[in-house]
Amino acid sequence: MKRNVLAYPYIAVWLPIFVVVPMLFIAYYAFFDNGQFTLEFVKSLREPMYWNVILRSAWLAVRATLICILIGFPVAYMLSKMKKSAATLLSIFYILPMWMNALLRTYAWKVLLADGGIVSVILEFFGIHGVSLLYTEGAVLLGTVYNFLPFMIMPIYTTLMKLDKSYIEAASDLGANGFQTFIKVVLPLAKPGIVSGITMVLVPSMSTFAISKLLGGANHALLGDLIEQKFLLSSTGYGMGSILSLILLVLVLISTAIMRRVEKDNGEAEGGMLW
Amino acid sequence: MKRIVAILLTLVMLAASLSFLTACGDNSKTLYVLNWGDYIDPDLIKQFEQQTGYKINYTTLTSNEEMLIKLRSPDCIYDLCFPSDYVIEKLIAEDMLAEINKDNIPNLKNIDERFIEISNQFDPGNKYSVPYMWGTVGIVYNKEMVDEPVDSWNALWDEKYAGQVLMYNSMRDSIGITLIKLGYDINTRNADQVAEARDELIAQKNIRKGFFDDAIKDDMIGNQGALAVVYSGDAMLCIDEEEGNPNLEYVVPKEGSNVWFDNIIIPKTSSKQAMAEEFINFLCDAEVAKQNTEYIGYSTPNKAALELMDESWTENPVYNPPQDVLDRCTIFHDLGDFLSVFEEAWNKVYFEN
């Protein structure tokens, strides 16, 4: 328990300076204009454009998360079935690209998806001609999934690794076939991993902004882009940018709360959580 | 053992903080420069540093609006900045610029009288700014993908090129060319005209590939689009025989366009005005200006530099446009409070699709 001492500088210095104070600034800018309390920015939210962007971002984040589960779970499952050494090696391959800056990885996709790029050459080989891949919503979705997939695989993998194999043996002793075992035993036990994976993918993909600019050509601008644009380019942007940031924060808190609830319902939440 | 480690650690920390202190001490010899990306030959910075013993702290960004916000910030540290015409007009109106002492800039005589005169339109009396680079806005198109000569902004709305049109991610430029296409003034203060331009841009949605920053150059060179809105200096790179794409062509549409100036200014908050003027004088030197303009590809207002350059530059209509092109171009003016109407329209175009 002595180790807790190491957390003090974080709690006493880091947290206030880099989390609490900036939050207070955002709240201040959202409700004060030149020192005067104002609801002007809140009222501006009546403009349907803002809600369109928010909905579009949330919908993109939900789809990205679903795709990450569909890809991430089988991968994590296979990894957990492998020999430890092979699994470690393979999971390094998943993590390796993350040592590189996310922007660079996204730029790489730009080259791959460009007209005449590798992907379109492969498609043409199969007789599919003239599809523009870059600067579409699909490209933004792909970029988001690619960037956040490791955050789905790793927590599920750690949960599955810690899974007590005797449960599976017990299930087959009692006559369950492979599929039944998977649905009734493995999946429920992997839930904490899935839940933490969802949190780690949904939240950042809701606030992502560079991806839609690079791969979407600003035709599919998201909430993150809107906030960036407000702060950087608009003459009166701090207020609007702050109120939109607050909305994003609320969305994040709501999804985290839902995830917490799901996890509690699951009974003891152990393992799987990376944070 | 433990004690040795502790002493070593303390020494390391002490050394670190000492070097931090000395770094601060040198500050008086450091010029903070805020500029666009790819907008100076980096060798020139080194040359200036060697000549004077000053240090240049160089920051880049991508838009005038961002520059304005940086300069407005109460703890602005910059000593030199290179904003465009209409931004300078705004900065002057907000009394944020230091008057430039022309006695410190003898090389000012190198600047073409024509451009001093145009600068006069946004900087009356040329008190606060010195012309750095200038250019036009036009269309770069790929002759392989477009088989007719392009001479009008209407080409950017042509169904034939659906999905092949690249627009510039800049509010003033995008709305500006749309206003010209509709036959209005780029500096209009008529909200109905701006609304019309906004709807025109929204209607263009399926024809354009998107709004892009500097990526536009690479995309056009890499055959990723048929038509693009490009600044003349970037067009120089696009049509360059070695680095560019021989199929590309640059045109300033017949309806007219925007001619812009990026001038050098010194913020009022700067405490190193004389040093900054020394740097301006350096940049206005004929040889230096020649090297700089040949490196970045944007047109120099420096007459003496132009005289040193060979025909491949001076006879190039993209680099050195004939007077009739200049005559149909207008400069942007500061819109004052009306800017918010533009911003709202731009937000709609950008996010509501």
Side-chain angles (χ1 to χ4, degrees):
Chain A
M1 280 300 111
K2 272 278 157 60
R3 284 226 185 117
N4 281 349
V5 175
L6 289 176
Y8 286 167
Y10 174 75
I11 295 169
V13 180
W14 189 273
L15 211 59
I17 294 180
F18 294 109
V19 180
V20 179
V21 172
M23 289 286 183
L24 289 176
F25 267 115
I26 292 176
Y28 175 80
Y29 278 121
F31 294 104
F32 288 86
D33 192 14
N34 287 326
Q36 290 281 310
F37 180 77
T38 174
L39 286 175
E40 206 45 49
F41 304 122
V42 184
K43 282 186 192 147
S44 302
L45 290 173
R46 279 182 301 199
E47 170 71 60
M49 178 195 86
Y50 293 121
W51 297 101
N52 288 341
V53 177
I54 291 168
L55 274 181
R56 195 191 305 152
S57 310
W59 177 223
L60 182 106
V62 167
R63 280 180 297 169
T65 312
L66 282 177
I67 296 172
C68 280
I69 296 178
L70 289 178
I71 302 173
F73 193 90
V75 170
Y77 189 67
M78 280 188 307
L79 284 177
S80 72
K81 287 275 177 191
M82 283 176 186
K83 258 199 294 180
K84 182 88 179 154
S85 55
T88 313
L89 188 70
L90 272 179
S91 56
I92 285 177
F93 283 128
Y94 284 105
I95 297 171
L96 204 60
M98 292 175 56
W99 293 357
M100 207 171 75
N101 185 292
L103 273 181
L104 286 179
R105 281 181 279 145
T106 312
Y107 264 112
W109 272 111
K110 235 183 110 157
V111 179
L112 294 176
L113 293 176
D115 293 349
I118 292 179
V119 179
S120 78
V121 168
I122 294 173
L123 283 181
E124 263 168 42
F125 180 76
F126 289 106
I128 304 164
H129 292 280
V131 246
S132 265
L133 300 162
L134 197 56
Y135 308 134
T136 58
E137 203 185 7
V140 180
L141 190 57
L142 175 77
T144 314
V145 168
Y146 173 75
N147 268 304
F148 298 120
L149 186 60
F151 294 104
M152 183 62 83
I153 296 177
M154 290 335 278
I156 299 180
Y157 171 62
T158 15
T159 324
L160 290 176
M161 281 302 289
K162 285 183 185 155
L163 194 148
D164 193 341
K165 297 282 184 295
S166 51
Y167 285 126
I168 296 169
E169 285 160 18
S172 52
D173 273 355
L174 294 169
N177 61 29
F179 180 71
Q180 284 168 321
T181 313
F182 179 77
I183 293 292
K184 299 210 157 161
V185 180
V186 178
L187 208 52
L189 285 173
K191 207 159 135 194
I194 299 175
V195 168
S196 111
I198 291 177
T199 322
M200 289 173 73
V201 173
L202 188 71
V203 170
S205 56
M206 204 139 61
S207 57
T208 172
F209 73 98
I211 297 173
S212 58
K213 207 169 191 175
L214 288 174
L215 299 179
N219 269 337
H220 309 276
L222 302 176
L223 184 53
D225 302 287
L226 183 58
I227 295 173
E228 187 210 17
Q229 185 131 345
K230 286 287 174 194
F231 274 106
L232 278 187
L233 305 181
S234 169
S235 50
T236 53
Y238 275 45
M240 238 18 249
S242 299
I243 200 89
L244 289 165
S245 305
L246 284 182
I247 290 179
L248 183 61
L249 193 69
V250 169
L251 286 175
V252 166
L253 286 178
I254 290 174
S255 58
T256 317
I258 294 174
M259 289 301 130
R260 272 277 161 86
R261 173 60 59 84
V262 172
E263 198 157 52
K264 277 228 178 88
D265 287 348
N266 197 40
E268 64 275 69
E270 47 156 327
M273 289 299 281
L274 282 179
W275 43 283
Chain B
M1 188 63 203
K2 242 185 190 166
R3 190 172 294 169
I4 297 172
V5 172
I7 292 171
L8 271 177
L9 271 177
T10 320
L11 281 177
V12 167
M13 283 176 80
L14 214 65
S17 46
L18 273 178
S19 66
F20 180 71
L21 277 178
T22 45
C24 285
D26 265 359
N27 240 358
S28 64
K29 285 271 176 200
T30 305
L31 268 179
Y32 289 86
V33 179
L34 185 63
N35 200 355
W36 310 91
D38 288 336
Y39 215 41
I40 198 164
D41 181 350
D43 289 343
L44 289 174
I45 296 182
K46 275 189 217 128
Q47 194 184 323
F48 179 74
E49 283 177 336
Q50 273 162 10
Q51 268 178 28
T52 57
Y54 300 158
K55 246 193 89 52
I56 302 263
N57 183 316
Y58 199 80
T59 312
T60 62
L61 35 62
T62 59
S63 82
N64 268 310
E65 285 69 21
E66 215 179 323
M67 219 174 247
L68 202 54
I69 285 172
K70 277 239 162 77
L71 290 177
R72 275 206 192 118
S73 140
D75 42 50
C76 167
I77 52 165
Y78 299 101
D79 303 305
L80 279 165
C81 184
F82 299 70
S84 303
D85 32 43
Y86 67 100
V87 176
I88 294 175
E89 199 173 9
K90 194 180 200 79
L91 289 167
I92 294 173
E94 291 179 12
D95 191 23
M96 285 170 61
L97 299 186
E99 206 168 311
I100 289 173
N101 182 357
K102 287 177 184 158
D103 295 339
N104 285 341
I105 309 172
N107 284 335
L108 206 58
K109 65 175 192 311
N110 291 339
I111 306 291
D112 193 334
E113 210 39 56
R114 269 198 306 167
F115 299 121
I116 298 274
E117 221 158 90
I118 304 181
S119 278
N120 201 25
Q121 288 180 38
F122 53 86
D123 175 11
N126 293 294
K127 283 190 209 150
Y128 301 97
S129 72
V130 174
Y132 178 63
M133 292 288 160
W134 69 281
T136 53
V137 178
I139 300 175
V140 158
Y141 63 99
N142 191 319
K143 283 178 281 181
E144 296 266 284
M145 303 183 203
V146 180
D147 39 24
E148 59 204 323
V150 172
D151 66 349
S152 161
W153 293 115
N154 287 324
L156 302 176
W157 272 262
D158 194 331
E159 290 285 349
K160 268 189 290 189
Y161 310 120
Q164 296 293 322
V165 173
L166 282 71
M167 295 289 283
Y168 207 80
N169 187 3
S170 148
M171 175 181 80
R172 279 307 290 268
D173 292 310
S174 291
I175 296 181
I177 60 170
T178 317
L179 285 168
I180 294 175
K181 173 189 182 295
L182 294 168
Y184 303 136
D185 177 14
I186 51 172
N187 296 307
T188 183
R189 295 206 184 197
N190 178 329
D192 292 336
Q193 292 178 354
V194 177
E196 216 178 304
R198 175 197 71 203
D199 293 341
E200 196 74 10
L201 278 169
I202 291 175
Q204 191 209 28
K205 191 196 174 226
N206 292 320
I207 293 163
R208 71 169 167 261
K209 212 163 195 168
F211 292 106
F212 302 92
D213 295 317
D214 286 341
I216 233 168
K217 288 180 274 186
D218 297 330
D219 279 359
M220 285 309 286
I221 292 170
N223 295 317
Q224 298 292 309
L227 299 133
V229 179
V230 172
Y231 298 132
S232 52
D234 288 346
M236 281 299 286
L237 182 77
C238 290
I239 62 177
D240 188 83
E241 274 165 26
E242 280 157 38
E243 289 167 59
N245 182 334
N247 292 322
L248 297 180
E249 183 99 21
Y250 177 77
V251 63
V252 177
K254 58 173 191 253
E255 296 97 337
S257 183
N258 165 238
V259 57
W260 51 262
F261 284 81
D262 287 342
N263 288 14
I264 319 173
I265 57 105
I266 304 173
K268 218 174 196 175
T269 46
S270 165
S271 55
K272 299 159 196 158
Q273 211 185 321
M275 274 168 72
E277 280 155 356
E278 221 173 304
F279 191 51
I280 297 177
N281 191 47
F282 171 78
L283 288 174
C284 289
D285 176 78
E287 279 293 339
V288 170
K290 170 181 183 275
Q291 186 182 335
N292 204 17
T293 181
E294 288 184 353
Y295 178 84
I296 59 183
Y298 278 84
S299 315
T300 180
N302 196 310
K303 208 172 171 182
L306 215 56
E307 277 160 12
L308 298 174
M309 294 167 73
D310 64 41
E311 277 181 7
S312 66
W313 291 91
T314 53
E315 297 296 310
N316 185 327
V318 180
Y319 180 80
N320 194 11
Q323 191 60 38
D324 70 292
V325 171
L326 271 183
D327 286 343
R328 61 173 188 263
C329 293
T330 20
I331 66 162
F332 283 135
H333 280 290
D334 176 30
L335 295 167
D337 288 341
F338 193 74
L339 186 68
S340 61
V341 178
F342 268 67
E343 281 176 356
E344 218 165 280
W346 179 240
N347 263 328
K348 280 256 165 74
V349 172
Y350 202 88
F351 289 103
E352 199 164 80
N353 50 48

